[in-house]
Amino acid sequence: MKNLGYYNGKIDTIENMTIPMNDRACYFGDGIYEVTYARNHKMYCLDEHLDRMYRSAAKLGIKVPLSKEEFVELLYDLVNRVDADEQIIYWQISRGTAFRIHAPKEELTANVFINIRPMTIKDTYKPMKLITMEDTRFLHCDIKTINLIPAVMASIKAQEMGVDETVFHRGEFVTECAHSNVSIIRADGALQTAPADNKILEGIARGNLIKFCKKFGVPVIEEAFTLDEMMNAAEIIVTASGTLCAPASEVNGIKVGGKAPELLKKLQDALVGDFIEKTN
C-alpha cells in the first residue's frame, strides 16, 4: 500500500477512511496520541512511545483496549503493509464514541486510530531558526493529548515568520517548543533542560539526548532556564522524534549558538547512529 489508515479494525488508504462524527476526538479532543518513525519497517523507540501512551491514557482515565504486546503486533502488521522503506507512524486513542456530552454517563470503549505514510526524518545537522512565544497552554502538558490548538497557532506563526519552530516560555522561563523539546549546552559544557513536570511533554528524543550526555560524561541539569540563558548558551538543541538533535542558529532574528560545535557533533553522530542501528 502507498499509505494506510486504520480505525478499530478497518483498514484502507488514508484518503478512503472515515470516522464516526460522535468520536469524542471530534468534539472534545478527548484522546491521546503518539508518533514515531520507521526505517526498513522497524520502528524507532517503540517501547518508549508505548510506555508514554499508557501513562497518558491512565492520567485521563482512558482504557486502552489492547495490551502493549497486542499493540506492538498490530503496529508491525500495519507498518509491513506500507511499501515505503521510511515511514511516519501516527496513532491516537480517543475515549470512545457517544453523543456529545462532556462527562459520558457510562464507560466507553476507546477508539484506536492509526495512519502510516512515507516520510523521512529531518536532517539533524541542519541548523534551525526559532521564534519565541508566551506559553498559554494548560498545565497538563505532560499528557500527550490531541488538544493542540496552541501548538497549531504557534506553528502557523512560525510559518508566517519563515522559521522552523516556536519556543514557548512562561514568563522568563523556557518550557518547550510547539512540537519539540528544547535544551541548551551551557558555557561550562553541561546540558540543561527543563524538568519533566506538568509544564512539558517528556519527549523520547529528549530522553535519548540525556542518555548519551550521561554516557559521554556530560553533566545533565534538569532545571528550567531563562530566555536570556538560552540566548547566551553555547548551543541550543531542539529534539523530536523526527528531528533527533538539531541545533538552532537563530532566535527572533538574532544569531545564537555555534560555541560548542565538537560536543554538538558528537551528540548528533551518536543519536543518528542510534537511529540507524535500531532500524537496520
Side-chain angles (χ1 to χ4, degrees):
M1 299 178 70
K2 64 177 183 178
N3 64 45
L4 180 147
Y6 172 98
Y7 188 82
N8 290 346
K10 181 180 179 181
I11 300 172
D12 205 334
T13 58
I14 295 171
E15 297 87 345
N16 292 333
M17 291 295 292
T18 60
I19 64 172
M21 184 177 288
N22 280 334
D23 188 317
R24 288 178 63 85
C26 299
Y27 292 123
F28 302 110
D30 189 5
I32 55 167
Y33 77 101
E34 284 292 335
V35 182
T36 190
Y37 286 74
R39 179 175 169 270
N40 298 319
H41 296 89
K42 293 183 180 179
M43 285 173 279
Y44 185 54
C45 292
L46 182 57
D47 281 345
E48 292 89 337
H49 282 282
L50 287 174
D51 287 344
R52 186 173 62 183
M53 179 190 78
Y54 283 99
R55 288 197 305 270
S56 291
K59 289 178 180 180
L60 291 177
I62 295 174
K63 294 185 178 180
V64 181
L66 299 170
S67 69
K68 182 177 178 180
E69 293 74 21
E70 290 170 332
F71 222 106
V72 170
E73 185 177 352
L74 172 62
L75 287 171
Y76 266 108
D77 174 48
L78 300 179
V79 162
N80 284 315
R81 294 174 187 239
V82 177
D83 299 327
D85 288 334
E86 296 185 71
Q87 308 165 9
I88 183 170
I89 303 97
Y90 172 95
W91 67 95
Q92 71 179 38
I93 312 293
S94 72
R95 192 177 303 275
T97 304
F99 284 107
R100 188 184 185 279
I101 181 172
H102 286 72
K105 297 184 183 298
E106 58 186 9
E107 185 175 303
L108 303 176
T109 300
N111 295 319
V112 179
F113 170 112
I114 303 168
N115 66 52
I116 303 171
R117 56 194 173 94
M119 184 176 289
T120 61
I121 64 169
K122 295 178 181 177
D123 180 359
T124 199
Y125 299 98
K126 182 179 179 181
M128 298 175 67
K129 295 180 180 181
L130 314 176
I131 56 172
T132 58
M133 182 179 290
E134 184 71 29
D135 191 345
T136 59
R137 300 172 299 168
F138 69 169
L139 292 175
H140 296 290
C141 297
D142 53 316
I143 304 171
K144 200 169 176 68
T145 171
I146 56 179
N147 287 281
L148 293 173
I149 286 297
V152 169
M153 293 169 63
S155 298
I156 290 172
K157 183 66 173 178
Q159 181 175 278
E160 291 173 348
M161 298 291 290
V163 301
D164 302 294
E165 178 62 297
T166 300
V167 178
F168 287 135
H169 59 94
R170 294 184 187 269
E172 286 300 308
F173 287 97
V174 173
T175 50
E176 58 185 348
C177 297
H179 41 77
S180 317
N181 289 121
V182 61
S183 307
I184 60 173
I185 296 176
R186 306 185 338 171
D188 62 5
L191 178 85
Q192 187 166 349
T193 186
D197 56 18
N198 64 313
K199 298 184 183 68
I200 74 162
L201 180 72
E202 188 175 0
I204 305 303
R206 171 187 175 277
N208 286 339
L209 175 62
I210 290 172
K211 177 181 72 176
F212 278 102
C213 280
K214 291 180 176 179
K215 179 179 179 180
F216 296 146
V218 177
V220 176
I221 301 167
E222 293 190 62
E223 296 177 3
F225 50 86
T226 67
L227 287 166
D228 283 345
E229 287 171 329
M230 180 181 72
M231 297 299 291
N232 292 296
E235 300 287 353
I236 301 172
I237 297 175
V238 176
T239 53
S241 292
T243 305
L244 300 183
C245 180
S249 60
E250 180 182 302
V251 178
N252 294 334
I254 300 171
K255 298 296 183 184
V256 295
K259 300 172 186 173
E262 292 182 3
L263 176 55
L264 173 64
K265 179 71 160 47
K266 186 175 183 178
L267 292 169
Q268 289 175 313
D269 288 348
L271 288 161
V272 170
D274 187 62
F275 175 77
I276 292 172
E277 177 185 349
K278 291 179 178 176
T279 56
N280 267 338

